[in-house]
Amino acid sequence: MTPRINELWVYLSASPLLGLTITLLAYQGAFWIYRRSGNHPLANPVLIAVSVLVCFLLSTGTSYETYFAGAQFVHFLLGPATVALAIPLYTQLKRVKAMWLPVLVGLLVGSLSAALSAVAIGRLFGASLPSQLSLAPKSVTTPIAMGIAERIGGIPSLTAVLVIITGIIGAVAARYVFDAVRLHDPAIRGFAIGIASHGIGTARAFQVNEQSGAFAALAMGLNGALTALLVPLIARWIGLG
Amino acid sequence: MLSALTQLLLCQLAGEVIARGIDLPVPGPVLGMLLLFLVLTLRGGPGHDLQTTSQTLLQHLSLLFVPAGTGIMVHLHRVADEWLALSISLLVSTLMTLLVTGLVMQLCAPRSTAPGENP
């Protein structure tokens, strides 16, 4: 690189501007591909944007900390966006009331199966104990999951990664799973996505169907609360935590 | 947009204060969501500003996970060490959860409707 370009790069890589801009650029590109593919689940915008960004940062030797200094402005909006989920929930209140029994049963069964199966399968295939404990809250939205991992002796930052991968798997696979068993009710599909794959699944549900999105949001909130209560208890009972 | 953002942040702040104040395991934004839901129930729905702003925000909910997701680059080596156990666990457990939750709900659902496009 010529000195001037080098100087420019030193400036850009130290300023939050670059991290913020490439996040928005990568996402817009990913979203364009997603729309062009007719909302195909495999063209998940989070998956594409993250892949592009990781390649870019690794190839330019930019550290995640430097990148995050800019990207944190986007990350911060997760809080208000979570609060905003109350609105579709309110709009769908009538349908939620009519569905209270399946919602309660689905929550309990789904929440338990998400945590227990993850730990059991991890153990079966020889994951280390800290990894098993990091797997337990994998279906819950990131901030709650990290708190749970910390409480039971997992690795919070590893949990954050497992949560994101889980979200992408759920968002990509849901359509095929439900179609295979002929499950068509958008409310039930949405709720199951929210339980299995938290906010990333919820984002996918909203892009496809407003009612699915509302039920996914409901599931995500309820599952977060229930898992935060249940997993530390279960970990203690079975002598893990 | 400004008043809507303020309302959302106020709810989040209140949720955060409550969660830390009485040491709840539930994070602030989730409590904030419950608070806003209560407000909406009392007020009989969201105002126009809140409705449109939150719609815009939720339309691009995916974007908000991108910075955290990119954090995977920090853990590439750790994930590589136990990739088989971790990937089988995540894949099978997530598919199972989708299936079990969906089927159990369908069993106790009042009736089935099947309109529109589905995720």
Side-chain angles (χ1 to χ4, degrees), chain A residues 34-112:
Chain A
Y34 177 67
R35 283 296 189 223
R36 281 302 295 251
S37 74
N39 295 356
H40 196 281
L42 280 174
N44 185 277
V46 183
L47 180 63
I48 298 174
V50 165
S51 312
V52 169
L53 285 169
V54 168
C55 289
F56 176 80
L57 296 177
L58 289 178
S59 65
T60 55
T62 310
S63 75
Y64 180 64
E65 286 71 25
T66 307
Y67 160 76
F68 196 77
Q72 63 174 325
F73 299 111
V74 169
H75 181 76
F76 174 78
L77 289 174
L78 264 178
T82 305
V83 176
L85 290 171
I87 291 146
L89 212 56
Y90 177 82
T91 317
Q92 297 288 334
L93 190 57
K94 235 173 118 180
R95 181 97 166 99
V96 173
K97 272 185 181 159
M99 294 279 288
W100 68 272
L101 181 64
V103 159
L104 271 187
V105 178
L107 168 67
L108 202 65
V109 173
S111 192
L112 283 174

Side-chain angles (χ1 to χ4, degrees), chain B residues 90-105:
Chain B
L90 291 182
L91 192 67
V92 177
S93 168
T94 307
L95 295 182
M96 212 186 94
T97 305
L98 282 170
L99 198 63
V100 170
T101 312
L103 290 180
V104 160
M105 289 180 77

Side-chain angles (χ1 to χ4, degrees), chain B residues 54-111:
Chain B
S54 57
Q55 213 155 29
T56 314
L57 206 52
L58 293 180
Q59 213 158 32
H60 291 289
L61 190 59
S62 290
L63 163 68
L64 311 186
F65 293 97
V66 170
T70 307
I72 198 170
M73 64 181 277
V74 180
H75 297 283
L76 284 178
H77 62 283
R78 197 183 272 161
V79 174
D81 283 345
E82 296 185 50
W83 69 273
L84 185 68
L86 292 179
S87 52
I88 294 178
S89 168
L90 291 182
L91 192 67
V92 177
S93 168
T94 307
L95 295 182
M96 212 186 94
T97 305
L98 282 170
L99 198 63
V100 170
T101 312
L103 290 180
V104 160
M105 289 180 77
Q106 198 172 41
L107 272 180
C108 39
R111 63 196 174 328

Side-chain angles (χ1 to χ4, degrees), chain B residues 6-46:
Chain B
T6 313
Q7 290 174 58
L8 293 175
L9 289 175
L10 269 177
C11 287
Q12 188 185 349
L13 184 64
E16 213 72 71
V17 169
I18 295 171
R20 282 166 207 278
I22 55 177
D23 205 21
L24 277 180
V26 186
V30 174
L31 280 182
M33 172 172 91
L34 283 176
L35 285 175
L36 181 58
F37 184 79
L38 284 178
V39 170
L40 292 177
T41 316
L42 293 174
R43 246 181 18 188

